[in-house]
């Protein structure tokens, strides 16, 4: 019986985390996160980075976290903390997919992606795979969580994956953090400029999306991406 104790304990731990997430975070807003972290004082940055590392692995929308970071820390510090948390989360989800829950992730990806795209991503490697990942990261409509888990199934190395992710994450991070930073004064020119930058990002990546996802291709939707 002893050999079953560790797997059973691990399963109970996972179920407890999922239950806790459902009770606490499923309906949490950016303002809720900002208010909770603000009471932590000097520990707020570490707590925010920790949330960004863990919550997206359970499909919490990263846009909500990014807006909370902008509300609490402002543009510069918020962007830095968000980038750090996002990169650590990318590594975590990639490694979970590759070494821990590979078969479960594979089944999830099969439900979310067409056979054509699964085949394309399975061949992701080298320069083509690097460029593909950067472009996918730039497009807000492409699910952040799905990218992390899917690329763990490919032959791409962790270092290459993180380098491409870093390049692709920066524009969206700055845009969403900037909106959060300006959201407390929605009548200001800065807030409208932030919305304009978001519109520009969406328009530019919509064009990229049309090039990357030709009309008529059978793509399936996934979770939200920031």
């Amino acid at each position: 019986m002893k050999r079953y104790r560790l797997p059973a304990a691990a399963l109970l731990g996972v179920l407890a985390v999922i239950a806790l997430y459902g009770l606490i975070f499923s309906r949490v807003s950016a303002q809720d996160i900002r208010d909770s972290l603000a009471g932590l004082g000097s520990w707020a940055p570490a707590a925010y980075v920790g949330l960004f590392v863990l919550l997206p692995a359970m499909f919490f929308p990263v846009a909500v976290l990014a807006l909370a970071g902008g509300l609490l820390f402002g543009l510069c510090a918020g962007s830095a903390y968000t980038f750090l948390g996002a990169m650590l989360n990318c590594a975590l989800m990639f490694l979970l997919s590759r070494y821990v829950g590979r078969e479960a992730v594979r089944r999830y990806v099969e439900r979310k992606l067409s056979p054509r795209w699964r085949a394309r991503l399975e061949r992701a490697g080298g320069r083509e795979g690097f460029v593909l990942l950067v472009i996918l990261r730039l497009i807000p409509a492409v699910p952040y969580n799905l990218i992390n888990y899917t690329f763990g199934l490919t032959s791409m190395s962790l270092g290459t994956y993180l380098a491409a992710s870093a390049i692709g994450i920066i524009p969206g991070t700055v845009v969403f953090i900037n909106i959060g930073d300006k959201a407390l004064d929605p009548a200001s020119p800065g807030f409208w400029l932030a919305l304009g930058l978001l519109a520009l990002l969406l328009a530019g990546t919509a064009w990229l999306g049309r090039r990357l996802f030709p009309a008529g291709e059978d793509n399936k939707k996934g979770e939200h991406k920031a």
Side-chain angles (χ1 to χ4, degrees):
M1 295 295 292
K2 291 182 178 180
R3 63 178 177 176
Y4 296 110
R5 288 179 182 176
L6 185 58
L11 177 60
L12 289 174
V14 170
L15 293 176
V17 169
I18 293 173
L20 182 64
Y21 170 80
L23 290 172
I24 298 177
F25 293 109
S26 61
R27 297 184 180 179
V28 170
S29 69
Q31 186 64 50
D32 292 332
I33 295 174
R34 186 262 179 202
D35 292 343
S36 297
L37 294 179
L40 297 179
S42 60
W43 288 98
Y48 174 74
V49 171
L51 289 179
F52 221 112
V53 173
L54 298 176
L55 290 186
M58 294 176 282
F59 300 98
F60 188 86
V62 294
V64 174
L65 288 170
L67 290 172
L71 284 168
L72 182 58
F73 302 113
L75 178 58
C76 294
S79 295
Y81 297 145
T82 299
F83 180 78
L84 174 60
M87 293 306 298
L88 291 173
N89 172 258
C90 286
L92 172 65
M93 295 179 72
F94 180 94
L95 293 173
L96 286 174
S97 175
R98 178 157 294 183
Y99 298 112
V100 179
R102 191 175 184 87
E103 290 308 311
V105 171
R106 190 184 301 280
R107 291 192 294 270
Y108 169 75
V109 170
E110 287 176 353
R111 294 196 305 268
K112 295 297 181 179
L113 292 179
S114 67
R116 179 179 176 181
W117 265 94
R118 290 202 305 270
R120 184 173 183 179
L121 290 175
E122 284 173 1
R123 298 191 302 269
R127 182 178 179 181
E128 181 181 352
F130 186 94
V131 173
L132 175 63
L133 178 54
V134 171
I135 293 173
L136 289 172
R137 287 292 191 199
L138 287 170
I139 303 174
V142 177
Y144 169 90
N145 318 82
L146 183 59
I147 295 173
N148 287 340
Y149 281 135
T150 300
F151 272 84
L153 303 176
T154 70
S155 61
M156 182 177 287
S157 69
L158 177 61
T160 300
Y161 170 77
L162 291 178
S165 294
I167 296 171
I169 282 173
I170 290 173
T173 295
V174 174
V175 166
F176 278 97
I177 291 293
N178 191 38
I179 291 175
D181 179 40
K182 305 299 190 298
L184 295 178
D185 188 10
S188 68
F191 178 73
W192 291 101
L193 177 60
L195 292 182
L197 291 174
L198 175 60
L200 184 62
L201 176 67
L202 293 174
T205 57
W207 179 82
L208 282 175
R210 286 194 296 271
R211 297 293 301 272
L212 197 60
F213 303 98
E217 185 175 323
D218 180 25
N219 292 296
K220 298 181 180 180
K221 303 296 183 182
E223 314 300 330
H224 293 291
K225 178 183 181 290

